[in-house]
Amino acid sequence: MSVTSRYRDAWEGFWAEAPDDPGAVFWDAEPVLTVGRHLALFEPRLAAPGLPLLDLGCGNGTQTRYLADRFPHVIGADLAAAALDRARRADPAGQAAYRQFDATDRNAARALHAELGDANVYVRGLLHQCPREDRQAVADGLAALLGERGRAFLVEPSEAAGQVLADLAGGPGGPPPKLAPVLRHGIAPGGLTDAAVPDHLRAAGLGVLARGELPLFTTEYRSDGTRTALPSLWMVAGRAD
């Protein structure tokens, strides 16, 4: 199964129109506030740190480049060619590799595993904006990518983040400038229950090895100057015994 053309077109349109300026995209926060904090939880739990590391849903590659400074073989994968074009332009030295990849396509996941072998995978905020009917396929594909030795780090906005987003979108002036394009392109954030991610992982044959809560920082600021952060849940997953 692969994603619908509407969903693919939504992401292509979003990235084709997004400004190039650092921090112009709602979720494109500085790595020190995002993947840097996540690595402190992920790295100690890697069974095989030398495996290829896949940044699944890499977007414009901000987090991918940070990972490529710390791991020898990093691949940024995204559905949207427009996002990958940006990622490659921002990485002229080619620290990471980039490829177009449909995370709902189990056959594509199996083919990538056949090419790379077992991999570790970083996933930030992918499932919550996936169509509900595609989420299990993403988890199944993730299990294929991990193989026997790989580990995944997943972080997703929690149920409580839905109210934060609703408050932002429903403010007196409407959605703030960085959230408005997301909504305009039909990329619906939120709508993921706190139980959904571990349930999908278990159905894919993966065990939840560790979990916790963290604020997920965005690039949007409130009128009082504080940065908007979404409550989030993180998990480390791997092959269940």
Side-chain angles (χ1 to χ4, degrees):
M1 182 174 72
S2 61
V3 297
T4 64
S5 59
R6 184 207 61 78
Y7 184 65
R8 186 189 301 272
D9 291 347
W11 278 109
E12 291 289 1
F14 174 83
W15 281 113
E17 294 179 10
D20 283 324
D21 303 332
V25 171
F26 181 71
W27 55 79
D28 197 29
E30 305 92 313
V32 69
L33 295 176
T34 49
V35 67
R37 303 181 81 202
H38 300 151
L39 277 182
L41 301 165
F42 190 28
E43 280 191 281
R45 296 178 169 93
L46 291 175
L51 295 178
L53 179 61
L54 189 67
D55 182 9
L56 190 58
C58 69
N60 61 357
T62 299
Q63 317 305 320
T64 318
R65 294 188 294 277
Y66 184 94
L67 291 167
D69 281 337
R70 289 152 180 80
F71 293 89
H73 186 191
V74 174
I75 304 105
D78 201 275
L79 177 66
L84 295 169
D85 287 344
R86 289 170 180 257
R88 292 185 181 102
R89 289 199 304 270
D91 186 10
Q95 286 181 281
Y98 302 93
R99 66 171 66 203
Q100 194 167 15
F101 180 75
D102 178 352
T104 71
D105 188 335
R106 297 179 181 91
N107 289 331
R110 294 184 189 107
L112 186 54
H113 180 264
E115 176 186 337
L116 298 176
D118 291 357
N120 295 314
V121 185
Y122 175 69
V123 190
R124 181 175 66 107
L126 176 63
L127 281 171
H128 81 104
Q129 46 73 31
C130 261
R132 186 183 304 273
E133 63 271 18
D134 286 339
R135 289 171 182 164
Q136 189 57 51
V138 173
D140 293 344
L142 178 62
L145 292 168
L146 297 183
E148 295 300 320
R149 297 180 297 152
R151 296 286 185 268
F153 185 92
L154 303 96
V155 58
E156 294 287 345
S158 66
E159 288 182 46
Q163 189 59 54
V164 177
L165 290 166
D167 291 345
L168 281 174
K178 295 176 185 177
L179 181 59
V182 179
L183 302 177
R184 187 174 68 251
H185 283 281
I187 299 165
L192 188 68
T193 68
D194 291 348
V197 177
D199 285 350
H200 285 307
L201 293 173
R202 293 184 188 109
L206 298 174
V208 176
L209 309 177
R211 61 188 300 172
E213 300 180 11
L214 272 180
L216 188 59
F217 289 100
T218 74
T219 61
E220 192 67 72
Y221 287 82
R222 301 180 183 273
S223 58
D224 62 2
T226 58
R227 189 190 288 256
T228 298
L230 304 178
S232 77
L233 304 176
W234 63 266
M235 294 170 207
V236 176
R239 187 64 61 186
D241 294 333

